[in-house]
Amino acid sequence: MSTHPHGEGCSCAHEAGRTPLPDLTDKLRRQAHKVTGPRQAVLEILRRQGRPLAIREIHQALPEGDCDLATVYRAMHLLKGMGMVQRFDFGDGVARFELLAEGVDGHHHHLICVRCAEVVAVEECIPEEMERRIAERNGFTAVTHKLEFFGICARCQGGVRCET
Amino acid sequence: MSTHPHGEGCSCAHEAGRTPLPDLTDKLRRQAHKVTGPRQAVLEILRRQGRPLAIREIHQALPEGDCDLATVYRAMHLLKGMGMVQRFDFGDGVARFELLAEGVDGHHHHLICVRCAEVVAVEECIPEEMERRIAERNGFTAVTHKLEFFGICARCQGGVRCET
DNA sequence: TTCAGTGCAAAACGTTTGCAACACA
DNA sequence: TGTGTTGCAAACGTTTTGCACTGAA
């Protein structure tokens, strides 16, 4: 999980870890929201991990139950509304959130190991005309999509189930 | 919701409504499972609706709470294990199940209206080589994907929110 | 007859909310 | 100081499970 899928110096959309914490909190302040301890802590964790995190994971990563679980839920709701995080669903009934890099639309997908739950960011996307075609054919507008890939990662292929 | 998106005489993958109920129950019997009232009722509803249904929806469609909610959950779990239904997640925290046509792998996607929740089946799929490329690049095997489209349906575009 | 399947109730789980106490601006 | 935010606890909706009873084969 520590190795970056795209090598050193990558600047792909999910690389929000590059945004310094002060820039993130400033964004809060600018929109008339208070910069509190819990919010800073949550942002710092999202920034450092740079991958989709479940609310439970974020809460457990906080030092000594520093903040209430409900507060993390409320923080994520706020950040989602501000467009600072994106929500992903991997089909296990748990919402996951990932920090978005500043100025990037952040649209990307994931490849998830069904054995160990390792997550790799996938920048590739479906052909644009495919979405347009589907929208037109059915009379829909404002069409978006959710796409996630599932498989077995290299470490888990030997029958050995890796950690994480 | 009653109009078929592909017109009359369609034979696309999700058209499991064509499979007669006796054929479905036979499948159960062949695998040493009992054909009970609740199971027949659930299958009949899935067959007639021919679209992804939430467990709650299935239960409410049953005549007069004919069967317990837990029984519907157990029935869906069984049918899923037998490969007779496919599970879909539309990102609202509710699992939906759709009956699969006999002999078809049933792989397809959906276009969901974010206003009225109307669901249209989508047969189009991502390019095969895209999935293969993503698998190889990341050292994954047995890669599958989940893809759903979201937009605003024709009836909901006027600002008028349609029923259903 | 027998064991898989059922109904009922309780619990597990992720998530939301009401309210009094609190702390950032 | 005042309002937005927090912690706590309770409520919520979906899903699972334990257990005694029932009914399909």
Side-chain angles (χ1 to χ4, degrees):
Chain A
M1 203 67 62
S2 58
T3 55
H4 192 288
H6 302 163
E8 296 296 327
C10 161
S11 65
C12 53
H14 64 280
E15 275 295 305
R18 308 232 148 183
T19 310
L21 188 58
D23 290 9
L24 296 172
T25 54
D26 277 352
K27 206 164 182 173
L28 277 175
R29 234 186 303 268
R30 259 180 273 130
Q31 300 201 20
H33 291 116
K34 294 187 177 170
V35 178
T36 63
R39 286 179 184 169
Q40 288 184 74
V42 165
L43 281 171
E44 181 59 20
I45 288 167
L46 287 169
R47 202 178 68 84
R48 275 217 286 256
Q49 298 273 351
R51 63 185 177 96
L53 292 175
I55 299 234
R56 173 74 74 85
E57 288 179 292
I58 298 173
H59 184 242
Q60 285 173 344
L62 287 167
E64 312 227 359
D66 229 16
C67 118
D68 195 75
L69 188 58
T71 300
V72 184
Y73 274 98
R74 284 189 270 231
M76 298 320 297
H77 195 264
L78 174 73
L79 295 173
K80 178 80 195 324
M82 293 179 63
M84 290 179 68
V85 299
Q86 190 167 350
R87 179 191 160 137
F88 292 99
D89 295 280
F90 293 168
D92 60 352
V94 186
R96 283 175 175 77
F97 296 88
E98 191 169 1
L99 195 59
L100 291 183
E102 192 110 25
V104 189
D105 82 331
H107 183 83
H108 66 286
H109 306 289
H110 299 98
L111 171 58
I112 301 120
C113 177
V114 295
R115 295 250 173 96
C116 72
E118 177 182 343
V119 176
V120 178
V122 172
E123 303 302 326
E124 232 170 314
C125 197
I126 62 169
E128 249 183 65
E129 80 267 14
M130 177 180 165
E131 191 166 86
R132 208 179 317 124
R133 209 183 309 132
I134 287 167
E136 278 174 18
R137 184 181 300 153
N138 296 283
F140 275 58
T141 54
V143 171
T144 58
H145 64 272
K146 293 193 175 200
L147 170 63
E148 305 296 348
F149 297 89
F150 301 87
I152 301 170
C153 79
R155 281 191 296 173
C156 289
Q157 279 167 36
V160 188
R161 188 168 295 208
C162 70
E163 322 287 305
T164 314
Chain B
M1 204 66 63
S2 58
T3 53
H4 192 289
H6 302 164
E8 295 297 325
C10 161
S11 65
C12 51
H14 64 280
E15 275 296 305
R18 309 232 148 182
T19 310
L21 188 57
D23 290 9
L24 296 172
T25 54
D26 277 352
K27 206 163 181 174
L28 277 176
R29 235 185 302 266
R30 259 181 272 129
Q31 300 201 20
H33 290 117
K34 294 184 178 172
V35 178
T36 64
R39 286 179 182 170
Q40 288 183 75
V42 166
L43 281 171
E44 180 61 20
I45 287 168
L46 286 169
R47 201 178 68 85
R48 276 217 285 256
Q49 298 273 354
R51 62 185 177 98
L53 292 175
I55 298 231
R56 174 74 73 87
E57 288 179 293
I58 297 172
H59 183 241
Q60 285 174 344
L62 288 167
E64 312 227 357
D66 230 16
C67 118
D68 194 75
L69 187 59
T71 301
V72 185
Y73 274 98
R74 284 189 270 232
M76 297 320 296
H77 195 264
L78 175 72
L79 296 173
K80 179 82 196 324
M82 294 179 62
M84 290 179 69
V85 299
Q86 190 168 351
R87 179 191 159 135
F88 293 99
D89 295 280
F90 293 169
D92 61 350
V94 186
R96 283 175 174 78
F97 296 87
E98 191 169 2
L99 195 59
L100 291 183
E102 191 109 27
V104 189
D105 82 331
H107 183 82
H108 66 288
H109 306 288
H110 298 98
L111 172 57
I112 301 121
C113 178
V114 295
R115 294 250 174 96
C116 72
E118 177 181 344
V119 177
V120 178
V122 172
E123 304 302 326
E124 232 171 313
C125 197
I126 62 169
E128 248 184 67
E129 80 267 13
M130 176 179 165
E131 191 165 86
R132 208 179 316 125
R133 211 183 308 132
I134 288 167
E136 279 174 18
R137 183 181 301 154
N138 296 283
F140 275 58
T141 53
V143 171
T144 58
H145 64 270
K146 293 193 175 199
L147 170 63
E148 306 296 348
F149 296 90
F150 300 87
I152 301 170
C153 78
R155 280 191 297 172
C156 289
Q157 279 166 36
V160 188
R161 188 169 294 209
C162 70
E163 320 290 303
T164 313

